[in-house]
Amino acid sequence: MPKRADYELYYWPEIQGRGEYIRLAFEDAGASYRDVAREPGGMKLMLGLLKGEGRHTLPFAPPFVRVRKGGQVLAQTAAILDAVAPALGLVPADDAARSTALQHQLTIMDFVAEAHDSHHPISVALYYEQQKAEAKARAAQFIEQRIPKFMGYFEQLLERNRKGKRVHLLGSEHSYVDLSLFQVVRGLAYAYPNACARLARKLPRVHALHDRVAARPRLAAYLASPRRIPFNEQGIFRHYPELDLPAKRGATRKKRR
Amino acid sequence: MPKRADYELYYWPEIQGRGEYIRLAFEDAGASYRDVAREPGGMKLMLGLLKGEGRHTLPFAPPFVRVRKGGQVLAQTAAILDAVAPALGLVPADDAARSTALQHQLTIMDFVAEAHDSHHPISVALYYEQQKAEAKARAAQFIEQRIPKFMGYFEQLLERNRKGKRVHLLGSEHSYVDLSLFQVVRGLAYAYPNACARLARKLPRVHALHDRVAARPRLAAYLASPRRIPFNEQGIFRHYPELDLPAKRGATRKKRR
């Protein structure tokens, strides 16, 4: 990677987490970026910026991005995407569509927060093992109510958008919101494979979008590369079999990276 | 209110909730808006739009806003504010500042979601009474960890921003983000008065910002009017004494609207 990249991403180096929505946008656009905290000495740099070393706007938490052009430090996943997407060609140019993209991204981020809290309903400061009983109760509600509500909503959006031959959340154009929805589908399939398998029939367009995104050459290359951190039990989408529905007889689970 | 207002707000008529961040922006700017679901027949209209009657972009949930100019329907609190703030004069004009405003608003909305979950840690589909024990555990963590972390962060932002004589989150300009932080301070003081009283000494700038905003003439008029719905136990900030810290001896609680 070039020494002076157009973008510097700062995010926890061992998980996909919220940083992955930014990584997917950079990778899909073929942008020149560094994933700083994964480089030697990068974690120290990131923690320094988080403590306010420098004169940038203080981020509340990773991910944050320093933009070479202008030097601004951007934080909050959806705000970062909104700011960088025009230059990456990942959002339509007009204000109305850009605003709709932000709206959809925020709904995705709300869902991501709920996916996280399905295994951490009491506190991020405690281990999963310290809130297992509460997680069981919350995950049951997440599976029964929240996954169908959110994923059904995106299915409806795709159904109402008849522009173009292929499935997109915004008109007939590929955008960062499609990348983010792809990531949520992957994450859910990793964390709650049995619950997702039962719901798949009701979400044909969501899955068609997932497949379209996965086949994009730069994205496919990224997913197959070591740059893609595998899902794991430190991230947002975690696979705890006891929180998922039981498997249907004869079903098998495909491993996803 | 005029029959053809510039903005139509759609939100639950009996709570401040997330709609309040939009109401505060409209009221502070003296905008021409209707609070549709509080008018006769308005709830039916709102529920119809939520079900997808019409050709607008489907909102996931209230609040949403229909803009007279252009007819766009905007949803997601932070995306609505980002879209309407330039015309309301509630955000600096340059892109970098607008992006920073969005970033701060998203951090505020993250905190608002956590404030909600402090009394509903298991599910929005269950009553508080059905998750009281879990709420007690989550509220304790919220008070001990999350309120100091978020409010301390905003205090730091204000401390780092030395522009202008008075306290603002963005440079030396009043913005919608200041209105939203004001609302969070009010909400917390309603829901967790004892916890807030103990923390107040550490947050002088946050409270100075609150006081500056509260004294703005149009905002003060709004807060004293029947248009301001009182805080209550259907909203996001709820006062359940059993979730708060015990009162210090001699302390009294001021009632806030």
Side-chain angles (χ1 to χ4, degrees):
Chain A
M1 265 180 271
K3 272 273 173 207
R4 297 209 57 194
D6 290 340
Y7 303 97
E8 289 176 3
L9 168 65
Y10 294 82
Y11 194 65
W12 307 115
E14 279 152 16
I15 60 170
Q16 292 183 18
R18 287 178 175 82
E20 196 65 15
Y21 303 91
I22 316 292
R23 291 191 187 108
L24 290 176
F26 287 156
E27 293 282 350
D28 188 65
S32 119
Y33 81 104
R34 288 171 50 197
D35 199 342
V36 179
R38 291 169 78 182
E39 299 173 1
M43 265 301 276
K44 211 184 144 192
L45 258 174
M46 179 169 96
L47 296 175
L49 289 169
L50 269 176
K51 273 188 214 138
E53 293 168 8
R55 301 185 55 165
H56 57 281
T57 303
L58 198 65
F60 180 74
F64 54 93
V65 165
R66 193 203 297 267
V67 183
R68 183 176 165 190
K69 191 178 158 189
Q72 194 177 9
V73 173
L74 305 159
Q76 280 281 1
T77 310
I80 297 169
L81 290 168
D82 175 66
V84 302
L88 299 180
L90 282 176
V91 73
D94 68 292
D95 276 358
R98 194 175 159 194
S99 189
T100 302
L102 175 61
Q103 170 186 326
H104 293 335
Q105 187 66 33
L106 291 175
T107 304
I108 290 173
M109 298 318 292
D110 284 350
F111 182 68
V112 168
E114 294 200 19
H116 172 272
D117 284 7
S118 71
H119 52 75
H120 271 71
I122 301 302
S123 172
V124 290
L126 301 173
Y127 292 109
Y128 165 64
E129 287 71 19
Q130 296 172 282
Q131 47 198 311
K132 228 171 148 171
E134 296 90 342
K136 182 77 193 152
R138 179 140 183 175
Q141 293 279 335
F142 181 66
I143 288 171
E144 193 189 316
Q145 312 251 358
R146 307 304 282 173
I147 300 180
K149 186 175 164 84
F150 277 90
M151 290 299 111
Y153 169 72
F154 288 109
E155 182 72 19
Q156 254 186 300
L157 285 185
L158 293 171
E159 193 182 337
R160 284 167 74 93
N161 179 19
R162 302 292 173 100
K163 288 179 194 155
K165 279 190 196 160
R166 311 194 68 188
V167 279
H168 302 90
L169 281 166
L170 294 179
S172 55
E173 285 184 62
H174 175 68
S175 72
Y176 71 84
V177 191
D178 293 342
L179 296 171
S180 293
L181 186 56
F182 158 85
Q183 171 68 6
V184 165
V185 172
R186 280 281 164 111
L188 276 181
Y190 173 80
Y192 295 101
N194 298 333
C196 287
R198 295 199 197 177
L199 208 61
R201 227 170 9 96
K202 292 189 176 165
L203 305 171
R205 290 171 189 85
V206 167
H207 285 282
L209 181 142
H210 166 276
D211 295 348
R212 176 182 69 69
V213 169
R216 290 174 65 83
R218 277 195 293 246
L219 206 76
Y222 166 64
L223 295 174
S225 80
R227 296 194 304 286
R228 172 78 160 179
I229 300 163
F231 284 110
N232 60 49
E233 280 57 58
Q234 277 76 53
I236 288 174
F237 292 106
R238 303 190 188 183
H239 181 56
Y240 295 123
E242 64 273 21
L243 299 184
D244 193 10
L245 294 178
K248 277 199 175 169
R249 254 199 314 175
T252 55
R253 188 161 76 87
K254 257 169 65 185
K255 227 181 170 178
R256 301 276 201 185
R257 297 197 68 158
Chain B
M1 265 178 271
K3 272 275 172 204
R4 297 208 59 193
D6 290 340
Y7 302 97
E8 290 176 2
L9 167 66
Y10 294 82
Y11 193 66
W12 308 114
E14 279 152 16
I15 60 171
Q16 293 183 15
R18 287 179 174 82
E20 196 65 14
Y21 303 91
I22 316 292
R23 291 190 187 110
L24 290 177
F26 287 156
E27 293 282 351
D28 187 65
S32 118
Y33 81 104
R34 289 170 51 197
D35 199 344
V36 178
R38 292 168 78 181
E39 299 172 0
M43 265 301 275
K44 211 184 142 190
L45 259 174
M46 179 169 96
L47 296 175
L49 288 169
L50 270 176
K51 274 188 211 137
E53 291 168 9
R55 301 186 55 166
H56 57 280
T57 302
L58 198 64
F60 180 74
F64 53 94
V65 165
R66 194 203 297 267
V67 184
R68 184 177 165 188
K69 190 178 159 188
Q72 195 178 7
V73 173
L74 304 160
Q76 280 281 0
T77 310
I80 297 168
L81 289 168
D82 174 67
V84 302
L88 299 180
L90 281 176
V91 74
D94 68 292
D95 277 357
R98 194 174 159 194
S99 190
T100 303
L102 175 61
Q103 171 187 326
H104 293 335
Q105 187 65 33
L106 291 175
T107 304
I108 291 173
M109 298 318 292
D110 284 350
F111 182 69
V112 168
E114 294 198 19
H116 173 272
D117 284 6
S118 70
H119 52 75
H120 270 71
I122 302 301
S123 172
V124 290
L126 302 172
Y127 292 108
Y128 164 64
E129 287 71 19
Q130 295 172 284
Q131 48 197 312
K132 229 171 147 171
E134 296 90 343
K136 183 76 193 151
R138 178 140 183 174
Q141 293 279 335
F142 181 65
I143 288 171
E144 193 189 316
Q145 312 251 358
R146 307 303 281 173
I147 299 179
K149 185 174 164 84
F150 277 90
M151 290 300 111
Y153 169 72
F154 287 110
E155 183 71 19
Q156 253 186 299
L157 285 184
L158 293 171
E159 194 182 335
R160 284 167 73 92
N161 178 20
R162 304 291 174 101
K163 289 181 192 154
K165 281 190 198 159
R166 312 195 66 189
V167 281
H168 301 91
L169 282 166
L170 294 178
S172 56
E173 286 184 61
H174 174 69
S175 73
Y176 71 84
V177 191
D178 293 341
L179 296 170
S180 293
L181 186 57
F182 158 86
Q183 172 67 7
V184 165
V185 172
R186 281 280 163 112
L188 276 182
Y190 173 80
Y192 295 101
N194 299 333
C196 288
R198 296 200 198 177
L199 208 60
R201 228 170 9 95
K202 292 189 178 164
L203 304 171
R205 291 171 189 83
V206 166
H207 286 281
L209 181 142
H210 166 277
D211 296 348
R212 177 182 69 70
V213 169
R216 289 174 64 83
R218 277 195 293 246
L219 206 74
Y222 165 65
L223 295 173
S225 79
R227 298 195 302 287
R228 171 78 161 180
I229 300 163
F231 284 110
N232 60 48
E233 279 56 59
Q234 277 76 53
I236 288 174
F237 292 106
R238 303 190 188 183
H239 181 55
Y240 295 123
E242 64 274 20
L243 299 185
D244 194 9
L245 294 178
K248 279 199 175 168
R249 255 199 311 176
T252 55
R253 189 161 75 86
K254 257 171 63 188
K255 227 182 167 177
R256 300 275 202 184
R257 296 197 67 161

